[in-house]
Amino acid sequence: MTEIRVRIAPSPSGNLHIGTARTALFNYLFAKKNNGKFVLRIEDTDAERTSQSYIDNIFDSLKALGLNWDEGPDVGGPYGPYTQSERFDIYPKYAQILLEKGFAYECFCTPEELEAEKQSATQNKKPYVYSKKCENLSENEKARLRAEGRKPAIRFNISKVQKTFHDNSVLKFDDLVKGELHMDTDLLGDFVIMKSNGTPTYNFAVVIDDMLMKISHVIRGEDHISNTFKQILIFEALGAQIPKFGHLGMILAPDRSKLSKRHGATAVSEFVEKGYLTEALINFVALLGWSPSDGKEIKSIDEIAQDFRIGDISSSNSIFEYDKLNWMNSHYIKMLSIEELKEKLKPYLTKYDLSELTDAQYTRMVEITYEPLTLLSNITDAVPYFFGEDVEIEPKAQIDVLDTDVAQDVLKEFLKQAENWEFSEDNLHEKLEAFRAEYKEKGIKPKVTMWAIRAAVTGRTCGADMTAILAILGKDKVFRRIKNAIK
RNA sequence: AGCGGUAUCGUCUAGUGGUUAGGACGGGAGAUUCUCAUUCUCCAAACAGGGGUUCAAUUCCCCUUACCGCCGCCA
C-alpha cells in the first residue's frame, strides 16, 4: 500500500486566505485520518507577485491554526526543496523530455499574434483555442525565428497525448468528492508549459512537483477542475503515476460572489487580529461542506480528523456567514480558562494601564466581563470604567438615569449608607440586596435602583455584575464617582 | 457564447423510493437576572420548476431555470 501524501500549495501573492486555510485543513484532516504526510509547498513561480512577508504570513497562519506540515520549505524533507523558485533547474529537464517524445513543441508566437487570435475568436463568438500554428515548424524556420531574436515558449500538445493514451477525445477521472468528471480535451487548447523566459507555468510546475514529491491525493478548490484535465495529460505524457483528485466547493460571500476584501476579512491573520480564536476558525470552516457523524458541531481539529471522510464532503459551494462564526467564537471564548483569557485579552487592553489593577482585580474583571464577548477585541470597549479615577458618562446614562430625581435620591442615600460598608464582594452583595429591597418598599424597582449606581460608577446603563465592579473599584473611587454624579 | 459543476428552512447542513423531512446559526415569544449577556423553554422557517420511471419520488433519469467555476507565457 502506497503512502498517503497530500499537500497544500499556496502562492505567496497575498496573506493566507481563509479559503486556502480550509483547503489546507481538509488536506490535513485527510492526512491525519489516513496516517499520511501533509506537505507544504510554496508556489512562487511568478516572482512579480511574490513577497517574503506573504510567505511569512502563510507560515505563521498555518501554524496558528494548528495545521502543522510534515515536510516543507522550513522543515525540509526527502523531496525538497519545497519552494518552486528553488526548483527552476528541474522543470526544463522534463520539458525537454516532453519535447523529445513529441508531446510538446516550441512556440514562437508573439503576444501580439496571440492577442490577434483571441480577438478573432471573440469576434466570431467562438471559444478561444490556440491555433497550433507552431506545432509543425521545421528546423529551418525555428532557426530563422531564433535568429530574429525570438525566444520560444514550450506548449503541450494536448491532442497528441490524448490520442496516444485514449480512444477518443474525452478524458475522464473519478473525483474523490464529485464523482466521475469528464471533458472533451479538444476544447482545451495547447497550453504553455514553459514560458519564453525559461520558467515553468503553474500547470507544469504543479505536475512535476506532485510527481517528484510523490503526492498521492490532490485536494483543492473546484476552480482547478479544468486544470486537472491538463495535468492528468502531463502525468500520462511523462509516464508518471496519476494522483487521485478531490475538488472542494468554493467559499462564497453572503452576496454569493467570491469572498473578497469588501466583505471584510479574508486573511486568516485579519480574523485573528479582529479577535477570532483559531480553534473557532478551524471548527467553523470545517463545517462548511463537512458535517460530523454524531451531530455535535463543536469539535477540536483532532476530533474532526477522527471522524473525517473525504467522500462525505458536500460538493456544493457554501456561503461564509458571520453569524455562525461569531456564535462559535463566543462559544470558544467561554471554553477558555480564566488564565488563558487573561493572556489572550491583553493585546486588546493596551490603551489601559493594567498596573492600576492587582492581579486579583484583573482576574475578577475578566471573570465578570468575558461572557458577552463575541470577539476578543470586544473587551476594549467593555471595560473603560475599570480604569482611571473618573468615568466618562454616556449621554443616555446621563439623560435617562442620572438626570432623574429617583436616581439622585438613590445616590445620596447610597453615599449615606455605604459610608460604613466594607467593600468586599460578599458584603456588598448582601448590603445591596437590602438596599434594593428598601427602595422596592417605596415602589422603586430594583432595576431602577441599580441603574442609578451603575450610571454614576460606570457611566453606562448596562454592563457587568455591579457588585463585583464596586468591589474591584473600591470605596474611594466609587464614592468619588457618585459624588461627581450628584447635582 | 462554449465547457464543467451545484441545487433541502435566510445560512451551514442531516436524511430517505413510503419520515410529523432532523439539527445548528440567525429570527420571534417567554422564563431567569440589578442591566446587557448567559442559561432554559417554546415557535416560525426548506426538498427550485416541469416532465418521466414507479403502487409510491425530496430521493432515480431527462429538460428548464438559477447560481458558481474555467477558458492567460496568473496561480
Side-chain angles (χ1 to χ4, degrees):
Chain A
M1 179 130 149
T2 55
E3 189 187 22
I4 301 284
R5 294 176 56 81
V6 296
R7 45 59 161 197
I8 181 70
S11 161
S13 55
N15 291 333
L16 186 78
H17 192 277
I18 188 75
T20 312
R22 187 181 69 136
T23 305
L25 170 65
F26 285 144
N27 275 282
Y28 174 90
L29 295 170
F30 185 70
K32 279 285 166 234
K33 176 67 190 252
N34 297 293
N35 286 313
K37 292 275 193 292
F38 176 54
V39 177
L40 170 63
R41 182 173 72 223
I42 298 294
E43 309 219 321
D44 58 347
T45 52
D46 187 1
E48 296 271 310
R49 306 202 306 165
T50 297
S51 106
Q52 185 59 42
S53 73
Y54 293 145
I55 296 180
D56 293 342
N57 180 274
I58 289 168
F59 278 37
D60 294 345
S61 300
L62 251 16
K63 277 182 197 158
L65 291 168
L67 267 17
N68 300 310
W69 50 98
D70 302 298
E71 297 168 25
D74 55 340
V75 296
Y79 307 106
Y82 292 86
T83 299
Q84 285 186 332
S85 60
E86 293 170 23
R87 302 169 63 81
F88 278 162
D89 56 324
I90 296 174
Y91 309 112
K93 289 192 272 191
Y94 290 94
Q96 192 57 39
I97 291 173
L98 256 18
L99 242 21
E100 282 161 15
K101 286 186 172 180
F103 289 144
Y105 57 88
E106 289 179 310
C107 171
F108 291 84
C109 292
T110 62
E112 293 74 29
E113 287 172 308
L114 261 15
E115 189 51 38
E117 280 190 9
K118 271 178 225 174
Q119 288 280 324
S120 80
T122 40
Q123 266 170 23
N124 298 326
K125 294 202 167 181
K126 282 195 175 157
Y128 166 70
V129 180
Y130 174 62
S131 65
K132 278 168 137 357
K133 71 176 167 189
C134 292
E135 184 186 7
N136 295 309
L137 253 28
S138 69
E139 287 308 316
N140 281 346
E141 282 168 308
K142 286 191 216 169
R144 183 176 56 80
L145 262 0
R146 244 183 262 276
E148 277 178 27
R150 283 161 68 152
K151 294 235 189 318
I154 300 175
R155 283 186 188 268
F156 188 70
N157 197 331
I158 297 256
S159 55
K160 185 93 176 278
V161 177
Q162 176 72 24
K163 267 185 214 145
T164 307
F165 297 97
H166 304 273
D167 295 336
N168 54 41
S169 65
V170 177
L171 182 61
K172 296 180 200 168
F173 73 93
D174 219 355
D175 191 274
L176 262 16
V177 345
K178 287 181 183 287
E180 186 179 279
L181 260 24
H182 47 85
M183 173 69 141
D184 186 342
T185 55
D186 284 348
L187 270 22
L188 251 24
D190 292 349
F191 57 98
V192 171
I193 56 174
M194 291 295 289
K195 302 177 201 175
S196 53
N197 69 5
T199 62
T201 59
Y202 163 77
N203 275 309
F204 191 54
V206 162
V207 171
I208 301 305
D209 291 344
D210 284 341
M211 173 180 78
L212 263 20
M213 293 178 183
K214 299 203 161 45
I215 299 302
S216 64
H217 294 73
V218 174
I219 300 164
R220 63 204 338 182
E222 69 175 27
D223 49 338
H224 282 289
I225 290 178
S226 54
N227 286 328
T228 302
F229 292 99
K230 297 177 183 176
Q231 293 173 13
I232 288 175
L233 255 14
I234 302 179
F235 278 108
E236 290 182 325
L238 254 15
Q241 168 119 38
I242 303 169
K244 296 256 179 281
F245 294 92
H247 291 92
L248 276 12
M250 312 293 286
I251 296 182
L252 269 23
D255 65 0
R256 288 172 193 282
S257 67
K258 215 161 97 180
L259 198 60
S260 68
K261 290 269 179 268
R262 74 194 158 89
H263 301 111
T266 53
V268 169
S269 51
E270 291 176 84
F271 282 98
V272 171
E273 275 164 36
K274 284 189 174 188
Y276 287 99
L277 262 18
T278 50
E279 293 83 354
L281 245 18
I282 282 285
N283 198 157
F284 173 72
V285 116
L287 257 20
L288 260 26
W290 175 84
S291 63
S293 58
D294 64 359
K296 291 201 174 72
E297 294 191 323
I298 300 290
K299 281 208 162 35
S300 71
I301 191 166
D302 292 335
E303 290 172 310
I304 294 171
Q306 285 304 311
D307 198 20
F308 188 71
R309 302 153 314 269
I310 186 143
D312 289 354
I313 293 178
S314 155
S315 58
S316 52
N317 295 338
S318 39
I319 291 173
F320 191 99
E321 279 280 5
Y322 275 88
D323 282 337
K324 187 143 185 178
L325 205 215
N326 288 342
W327 166 79
M328 199 167 266
N329 201 57
S330 66
H331 190 88
Y332 272 90
I333 287 177
K334 289 185 191 76
M335 297 203 309
L336 254 24
S337 73
I338 294 300
E339 285 309 309
E340 285 173 312
L341 265 171
K342 280 163 66 184
E343 281 313 303
K344 287 190 191 287
L345 254 17
K346 274 182 184 164
Y348 303 96
L349 294 170
T350 51
K351 66 186 274 195
Y352 305 113
D353 181 6
L354 279 181
S355 69
E356 284 181 38
L357 302 177
T358 63
D359 185 59
Q361 286 172 323
Y362 178 52
T363 305
R364 191 65 186 134
M365 183 193 93
V366 171
E367 281 173 348
I368 62 169
T369 52
Y370 79 89
E371 227 174 47
L373 301 180
T374 296
L375 305 174
L376 293 176
S377 56
N378 293 154
I379 195 70
T380 313
D381 294 326
V383 299
Y385 52 81
F386 286 101
F387 303 93
E389 290 300 313
D390 297 319
V391 72
E392 194 182 325
I393 310 286
E394 287 180 352
K396 188 175 157 42
Q398 183 67 46
I399 296 161
D400 291 355
V401 182
L402 295 180
D403 286 351
T404 64
D405 294 338
V406 204
Q408 288 295 319
D409 180 65
V410 168
L411 292 178
K412 284 171 195 155
E413 184 62 23
F414 179 85
L415 236 38
K416 207 190 294 173
Q417 292 195 21
E419 188 68 57
N420 306 312
W421 290 0
E422 180 216 340
F423 265 51
S424 73
E425 210 173 316
D426 286 346
N427 188 47
L428 281 169
H429 185 79
E430 223 171 273
K431 291 285 198 284
L432 277 173
E433 206 170 294
F435 190 74
R436 281 196 296 272
E438 213 173 284
Y439 269 89
K440 200 172 175 183
E441 293 281 301
K442 299 186 205 166
I444 311 284
K445 287 182 188 161
K447 165 157 107 169
V448 174
T449 314
M450 294 306 285
W451 257 338
I453 299 169
R454 182 179 293 280
V457 176
T458 72
R460 305 181 167 199
T461 52
C462 61
D465 182 86
M466 208 49 231
T467 315
I469 293 173
L470 295 182
I472 291 170
L473 288 173
K475 195 187 274 189
D476 289 351
K477 269 188 198 170
V478 169
F479 270 53
R480 179 191 169 92
R481 291 180 185 181
I482 288 183
K483 279 174 190 159
N484 284 343
I486 293 175
K487 296 186 175 172

